[in-house]
Amino acid sequence: QVQLLESGGGLVQAGGSLRLSCAASGRTSNNYATMGWFRQAPGKEREFVTAITWDSRNTYYADSLKGRFAISRDNAKTAVYLQMNTLLPEDTAVYYCASSLYCTGYGCRSADGYSYWGQGTQVTVSS
């Protein structure tokens, strides 16, 4: 089992920045997992934000977010981060961290490719 705990959410004004963190615990094999961030706004389906492979060599972004958001990880700290800049009101959502040992390439953009999920952290962007 892998436990994921997100933190860093909150209320921010449009144009501001937030950095989300996701701490992983449990199986050490998670260091070899692709880690992803997804988000879900009220009344909407969960959507892919970004993902990073275990060695940080490959990163994937939702086309609409590339350039404003950046993912990184620190395997020594078993943590993954999401830096969000120039936030917009439409970025308001619950942000979830997820872990996958099996997804590859485009499959890492699908929530179905992830086995473990955190509880989520709320991000609210005011206009």
Side-chain angles (χ1 to χ4, degrees), residues 19-21 37 70-74 77 79-83:
R19 188 191 194 211
L20 305 183
S21 299
W37 287 96
I71 190 171
S72 61
R73 69 188 292 166
D74 184 339
K77 296 182 179 180
V80 62
Y81 307 100
L82 178 63
Q83 178 67 43

Side-chain angles (χ1 to χ4, degrees), residues 31-33 52-58 73 75:
N31 279 347
Y32 301 97
I52 186 168
T53 54
W54 72 273
D55 55 2
S56 301
R57 285 188 176 182
N58 294 299
R73 69 188 292 166
N75 285 342

